[in-house]
Amino acid sequence: MASATTKDLSDVAAVGGGVGDTYGEDRGSEDQLLTPWTFSVASGYSLLRDPRHNKGLAFTERERDAHYLRGLLPPTISSQQAQEKKLMKNLREYQVPLQKYMSLMDLEERNERLFYKLLIDNVEELLPIVYTPTVGEACQKYGSIFRRPQGLFISLKEKGKILEVLKNWPERGIQVIVVTDGERILGLGDLGCQGMGIPVGKLSLYTALGGVRPSACLPITIDVGTNNKQLLQDEFYIGLRQKRATGQEYADFLHEFMSAVKQNYGEKVLVQFEDFANHNAFELLAKYRSTHLVFNDDIQGTAAVVLSGVVAALKLLGGTLADQTFLFLGAGEAGTGIAELIALEMSKQAKAPVEEARKKIWLVDSKGLIVGSRKESLQQFKKPWAHEHEPVKDLLGAVKAIKPTILIGSSGVGKTFTKEVIEALCSFNKKPLIMALSNPTSQSECTAEEAYTWSKGRAIFASGSPFDPVEFEGKVFVPGQSNNAYIFPGFGLGVVMCGAIRVHDEMLLAASEALAGQVTQENFEKGLIYPPFSNIRKISADIAAKVATKAYDLGLASHLPRPVDLVKYAESCMYSPVYRMYR
C-alpha cells in the first residue's frame, strides 16, 4: 500500500488541466471541452485577436456558429498539422535568420498554440532562430524591430512603484520570471533595454522544451540605463537615455524589485537572472539565494550543462572525473561557475573535500594563469582558483605547463584556441576534450572544423553555438552543442512542479547527472556527448523528476504529498500546444 506521503497517479489530472490551469494548457486538459473566454464570448472578432485562444482557419463549423465567427474567416477549415506545414514552408523561404525570427514572433502574437507546436515539432531547426545565435542579432536591432511589448519593462522611472508595475501584468499565477538588466547580452556587451529579446527567448524555451505553461511565464527587463554610446545616440533606442546606475542606487532598485516579486507572487516563483555583468551576477546570487527561489543561468545553468558533457565524455576519455586535469580560458561568471560545479561533483564522487577537487582545475584570465602570487589583486570569485605555480602569461604556456586533459573556453573572445594550442594539447592526450563555449558563433574560441582538423580527428568537441558536421579524412564528426537549453527548461519544470522554495547545488548536480544519463551508445559512436534535441521533452521530464526528487529529499519541496512516479507526473504537468475544442 502507498504511504501517506505519496499519491496515486490517478489523481495526476488534478494538476494536468486542474490546479491553476485556467486556460487548459496542460496535457491533462487535451480532451476537455473549453470555453474560450476573452472579454466576451459574444465577440468572434475579439476571439480571433486573442493569441491564447485563436486557432485561425482551424475553427470547426460548429465553433464558427457558436462563437460568432461566420464571415470573419474564409470558408476553408484547416487542421493544425496543415497550418504547421504551410508555416514551415513559408519560414524556409526566408534567407535571413532575423526575418525568420520576426516571422515567428508575429506568429506568437496571433496564435500562441501554433507557435509552440511549430517550435516543439521542429526544435532542431528553429532553436538557433528563437535562441542563440539569432536572438543576439534581434537584441542588437530590438529598437528597430520592436512592435508590441512582450513582458514588463521596469525602469528607474518606476522606483518606489515596482509592486504597482507588477500588478499591471494580467496574469496572477506566475511561476517563472526571467529577468535581465541588459548589461552583458551573450558576447555582445551592454544592450540596455534591448536585452528584452533574451528573457522572451528563454521563456519560449521554458514552454516549448520544459513544458512550463506560457501563462505562468513572465519576461522582465530592468532598465537602469546603458553605457553603450551607440545606443544612447540611436534615434530608435527604446530605453532610458542615461549612463547605467551603479553602487547603492542599483542595489536598492534591485532590492525593491526582489521584494516586490516575493510580495506579489509568493515564495515559490522562480527568478532566473540572465545576462547580468559578472560583479552583479555573483552578488545578486549570493545575496538572494537564501531568501528567494533564484537561479542564474549563466553561472549555474551553464555549469550544469558543461558538467553533464564532461561526465558523459568520461565514457570516451576513460578514467574518473578526479583523474582529469581541467584548464579554463575565461574566469568570469561562466568559467568559475562551471569550475565550482565540477569540483562539487568531483568531491562527491571521490568522497574528498571540495578544496582538494579544486586543485585539479586551473583558470586563465586576461592576465594569464591564475596563481597564488596574484591572490591579492584578484576579484573574490577568482580567489579559490589561485593555486601555487610560477606565473604563466598566456594560454599556450598554460597548456604546456598544466598538461590538461580537458580544455574549456568561456572567454567570450573568438579564435583563442589556436592551431598551436590544440596541437600542444594533442601532444600529451590521445583524446582531448575541447569545449569552445562562447556565444554567438563569431565569439567561439574555435570552430568545429578547426578542432577536428588541427587535432587530426582525435578531439572530442562541443561548442556553445551550433556547428555543422565536419568531414575529416573520410570520417564525419558531429559536434556536440553544450546548450543551456538542455538544462534550464527541465530544471525550471522540476522546481515548479514540486513547489521548491530554494535552489540547492545538489539539485543542479542531479540535473547534470540526469542529462548525462540520456546519452546513448549510438550518440557516443558519433563522438557526441549530448543527446539530440529532437528528444528534448522526454529529457526535460527526466531532469524535472530528478530535480524534484532531490528537492523532496532535501526537504525543500512544498507540494505534498509527493507523487509516486515523478517522471509521469512531470509529463502530465507539461504544457501541450494541441488545439482545444471549444463548446
Side-chain angles (χ1 to χ4, degrees):
M1 198 175 116
S3 71
T5 57
T6 58
K7 64 166 123 173
D8 188 69
L9 273 171
S10 59
D11 68 344
V12 149
V15 168
V19 180
D21 188 11
T22 318
Y23 304 106
E25 295 172 293
D26 293 351
R27 278 183 55 187
S29 59
E30 277 181 14
D31 301 326
Q32 295 175 15
L33 279 170
L34 294 177
T35 302
W37 271 299
T38 54
F39 291 106
S40 148
V41 182
S43 168
Y45 188 77
S46 64
L47 180 58
L48 290 177
R49 276 150 188 76
D50 176 357
R52 190 159 285 152
H53 296 111
N54 178 29
K55 302 198 284 186
L57 291 175
F59 284 106
T60 62
E61 298 284 2
R62 219 174 124 196
E63 287 171 330
R64 292 178 189 210
D65 282 332
H67 297 291
Y68 307 92
L69 291 164
R70 286 279 169 205
L72 297 176
L73 291 165
T76 293
I77 292 170
S78 177
S79 68
Q80 195 175 15
Q81 285 68 28
Q83 289 177 320
E84 191 179 346
K85 188 178 171 186
K86 180 179 84 173
L87 277 163
M88 284 309 294
K89 179 181 176 291
N90 293 348
L91 267 180
R92 286 172 186 142
E93 282 170 7
Y94 287 121
Q95 298 302 310
V96 181
L98 191 63
Q99 289 177 319
K100 294 184 183 187
Y101 174 88
M102 289 167 70
S103 174
L104 282 167
M105 291 302 112
D106 284 347
L107 173 63
E108 188 181 15
E109 282 180 17
R110 66 176 188 271
N111 186 333
E112 191 175 83
R113 287 192 195 272
L114 188 54
F115 168 77
Y116 284 112
K117 186 91 171 70
L118 216 63
L119 199 46
I120 291 165
D121 292 349
N122 305 277
V123 63
E124 288 175 305
E125 186 176 343
L126 297 182
L127 195 61
I129 305 298
V130 296
Y131 192 46
T132 54
T134 311
V135 74
E137 189 187 350
C139 286
Q140 287 174 308
K141 297 175 180 169
Y142 207 76
S144 305
I145 65 173
F146 178 79
R147 291 178 182 173
R148 189 176 135 179
Q150 298 165 286
L152 286 174
F153 294 85
I154 302 176
S155 76
L156 286 171
K157 289 181 179 178
E158 280 76 58
K159 193 168 178 7
K161 301 182 214 159
I162 295 180
L163 184 60
E164 290 169 44
V165 174
L166 292 178
K167 289 183 189 295
N168 288 343
W169 189 251
E171 300 299 340
R172 286 283 159 262
I174 297 298
Q175 294 171 326
V176 181
I177 289 171
V178 176
V179 60
T180 187
D181 71 352
E183 191 169 1
R184 194 202 58 83
I185 297 296
L186 303 174
L188 304 168
D190 186 346
L191 297 184
C193 190
Q194 299 191 165
M196 181 54 115
I198 297 290
V200 168
K202 280 270 155 103
L203 284 167
S204 63
L205 299 188
Y206 258 114
T207 298
L209 315 186
V212 178
R213 302 171 194 156
S215 63
C217 295
L218 173 56
I220 296 180
T221 291
I222 288 184
D223 186 357
V224 295
T226 178
N227 295 337
N228 185 326
K229 289 195 179 77
Q230 216 178 334
L231 286 181
L232 291 171
Q233 289 159 10
D234 181 353
E235 63 174 319
F236 300 123
Y237 181 54
I238 56 175
L240 281 184
R241 290 175 189 271
Q242 66 174 66
K243 284 275 167 64
R244 272 190 178 274
T246 55
Q248 201 55 47
E249 186 186 7
Y250 180 87
D252 290 347
F253 193 63
L254 264 290
H255 192 68
E256 186 193 341
F257 168 72
M258 292 303 289
S259 305
V261 162
K262 199 167 176 178
Q263 195 177 334
N264 203 41
Y265 300 118
E267 190 90 15
K268 291 178 281 194
V269 63
L270 176 64
V271 179
Q272 178 169 314
F273 296 121
E274 197 62 48
D275 288 356
F276 283 75
N278 283 349
H279 53 286
N280 290 329
F282 284 103
E283 278 173 29
L284 289 168
L285 192 58
K287 185 172 178 180
Y288 294 108
R289 69 187 305 172
S290 58
T291 56
H292 290 66
L293 182 68
V294 292
F295 172 70
N296 184 308
D297 192 43
D298 306 298
I299 299 172
Q300 296 164 297
T302 303
V305 80
V306 174
L307 171 61
S308 165
V310 169
V311 169
L314 293 177
K315 292 237 171 60
L316 298 168
L317 294 170
T320 65
L321 204 53
D323 295 333
Q324 310 304 320
T325 304
F326 294 82
L327 182 64
F328 283 77
L329 177 66
E333 55 190 290
T336 52
I338 299 162
E340 187 59 25
L341 204 66
I342 289 172
L344 283 171
E345 180 73 8
M346 205 187 283
S347 87
K348 182 179 151 189
Q349 286 185 11
K351 298 187 171 50
V354 75
E355 292 75 20
E356 281 303 305
R358 285 192 190 119
K359 288 177 183 162
K360 307 282 292 178
I361 302 170
W362 297 80
L363 279 70
V364 171
D365 65 7
S366 57
K367 295 184 175 65
L369 191 65
I370 294 178
V371 292
S373 58
R374 291 179 51 195
K375 206 160 191 173
E376 293 313 305
S377 62
L378 291 173
Q379 289 159 284
Q380 201 56 42
F381 60 87
K382 293 183 184 180
K383 286 185 178 174
W385 310 103
H387 310 317
E388 287 317 309
H389 196 284
E390 66 272 9
V392 180
K393 281 278 173 255
D394 61 0
L395 178 64
L396 182 59
V399 168
K400 288 174 177 171
I402 302 300
K403 295 191 168 37
T405 53
I406 297 173
L407 179 63
I408 297 177
S410 60
S411 60
V413 183
K415 308 284 173 221
T416 38
F417 289 176
T418 59
K419 187 168 190 262
E420 292 76 19
V421 165
I422 290 174
E423 284 175 349
L425 190 66
C426 292
S427 67
F428 43 79
N429 282 306
K430 202 168 122 202
K431 270 193 168 178
L433 172 58
I434 299 172
M435 302 183 88
L437 303 176
S438 295
N439 285 320
T441 319
S442 58
Q443 310 302 115
S444 189
E445 284 78 7
C446 68
T447 65
E449 190 173 359
E450 288 165 348
Y452 293 125
T453 308
W454 294 338
S455 70
K456 299 191 169 44
R458 281 157 53 194
I460 302 159
F461 178 79
S463 54
S465 289
F467 282 105
D468 292 329
V470 174
E471 192 176 331
F472 178 78
E473 292 183 353
K475 192 176 174 198
V476 175
F477 294 89
V478 184
Q481 192 187 355
S482 180
N483 192 325
N484 292 24
Y486 277 117
I487 290 278
F488 72 80
F491 184 84
L493 176 65
V495 164
V496 163
M497 76 182 199
C498 72
I501 51 168
R502 297 289 175 269
V503 169
H504 193 284
D505 284 336
E506 283 196 34
M507 290 154 72
L508 294 166
L509 295 179
S512 287
E513 289 162 11
L515 177 58
Q518 295 282 335
V519 188
T520 63
Q521 193 52 45
E522 192 188 336
N523 301 148
F524 283 128
E525 279 160 18
K526 290 181 187 163
L528 282 172
I529 52 173
Y530 291 101
F533 258 110
S534 51
N535 222 4
I536 188 66
R537 282 200 136 204
K538 184 180 166 297
I539 294 165
S540 291
D542 191 59
I543 290 172
K546 299 281 197 308
V547 168
T549 300
K550 188 53 74 176
Y552 279 111
D553 292 348
L554 293 168
L556 294 171
S558 65
H559 288 172
L560 298 169
R562 175 180 181 159
V564 179
D565 185 332
L566 278 161
V567 175
K568 279 195 177 147
Y569 183 64
E571 286 172 350
S572 80
C573 291
M574 281 179 141
Y575 170 75
S576 156
V578 175
Y579 284 153
R580 305 302 197 254
M581 294 304 292
Y582 298 152
R583 55 174 175 270

